[in-house]
């Protein structure tokens, strides 16, 4: 039908990178899904992007997170302030401010994370967004992660173990 522009776009995607996939064969949670990629990722840091979270930011979020990882060598989570009642929809982080105040773009040290807490006991109003830069140490932590909320192996619980060993 002469849709050459669309064809160009589809072809452009194939030029970006080699795309491989690994299938999570059982629905055992996000932490389990990440662990399924272990063999593919190997012993190096990696970016994790949850496809149902769409980011719109002036400075590309993942690029900033990769820069923070390069500067600190730590795993990096993306946090967003949300109305307190909304933390029940997300991982929720307890943080220590390294300098100044919690402000957009500021780096904070994560001291704890809890998956979808009840707002009345949530440690903060900072929600974990679906972008992560993780060190390979997460894989060993996920191996030790017991099923948590919803009976699933939660990435959040794996990250809670990771931060006992490495800064996040
Ligand atoms: C997942 C994570 C949660 C995170 C959220 C971000 O939850 O488990 O910690 O805050 O993604 O979108 P899900 O959206 O799969 O329920």
């Amino acid at each position: 039908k002469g849709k050459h522009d669309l064809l160009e776009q589809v072809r452009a995607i194939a030029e970006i990178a080699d795309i491989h996939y690994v299938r999570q064969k059982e629905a055992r949670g996000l932490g389990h899904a990440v662990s399924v990629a272990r063999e593919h990722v190997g012993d190096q840091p990696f970016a994790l992007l949850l496809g149902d979270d769409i980011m719109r930011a002036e400075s590309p979020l993942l690029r900033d997170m990769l820069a923070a990882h390069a500067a600190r060598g730590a795993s990096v989570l993306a946090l967003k302030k949300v109305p307190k009642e909304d933390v029940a929809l997300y991982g929720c982080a307890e943080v220590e401010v390294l300098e100044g105040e919690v402000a957009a773009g500021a780096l904070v040290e994560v001291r704890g994370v809890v998956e979808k807490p009840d707002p009345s006991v949530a440690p903060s109003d900072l929600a974990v967004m679906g972008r992560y830069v993780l060190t390979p140490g997460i894989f060993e932590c996920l191996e030790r992660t017991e099923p948590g909320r919803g009976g699933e192996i939660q990435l959040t619980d794996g990250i809670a173990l990771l931060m006992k060993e490495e800064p996040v």
Side-chain angles (χ1 to χ4, degrees):
K1 294 183 180 169
K3 296 177 183 170
H4 295 286
D5 288 356
L6 285 178
L7 179 63
E8 266 318 300
Q9 286 181 34
V10 172
R11 284 193 171 147
I13 292 168
E15 294 303 321
I16 294 171
D18 292 330
I19 297 172
H20 301 243
Y21 75 88
V22 186
R23 190 155 180 270
Q24 179 193 26
K25 297 180 186 74
E26 306 158 84
R28 290 176 55 198
L30 177 60
H32 174 256
V34 172
S35 70
V36 165
R38 182 176 194 167
E39 226 174 295
H40 178 72
V41 171
D43 195 25
Q44 54 181 332
F46 62 99
L48 169 66
L49 293 77
L50 306 189
D52 57 351
D53 271 355
I54 311 292
M55 300 297 158
R56 195 174 61 181
E58 272 170 31
S59 176
L61 176 62
L62 188 61
R63 191 177 68 189
D64 292 349
M65 293 174 71
L66 288 170
H69 169 77
R72 305 230 162 205
S75 292
V76 183
L77 312 183
L79 303 177
K80 184 182 172 188
K81 243 181 206 293
V82 296
K84 190 84 189 247
E85 59 272 21
D86 287 358
V87 291
L89 303 170
Y90 299 100
C92 176
E94 182 176 356
V95 303
E96 186 176 322
V97 181
L98 298 178
E99 286 163 18
E101 295 178 6
V102 180
L107 274 184
V108 295
E109 180 119 12
V110 182
R111 295 292 180 208
V113 273
V114 42
E115 180 68 6
K116 305 199 173 95
D118 190 283
S120 63
V121 295
S124 76
D125 58 356
L126 296 172
V128 177
M129 297 289 107
R131 297 290 183 276
Y132 309 76
V133 178
L134 297 169
T135 60
I138 190 66
F139 292 121
E140 189 265 320
C141 293
L142 286 170
E143 260 180 28
R144 291 188 279 122
T145 301
E146 301 285 341
R149 203 177 166 87
E152 297 189 331
I153 298 181
Q154 296 293 345
L155 178 64
T156 302
D157 295 340
I159 292 172
L161 292 180
L162 183 68
M163 73 184 54
K164 289 183 183 161
E165 296 164 6
E166 304 174 11
V168 174

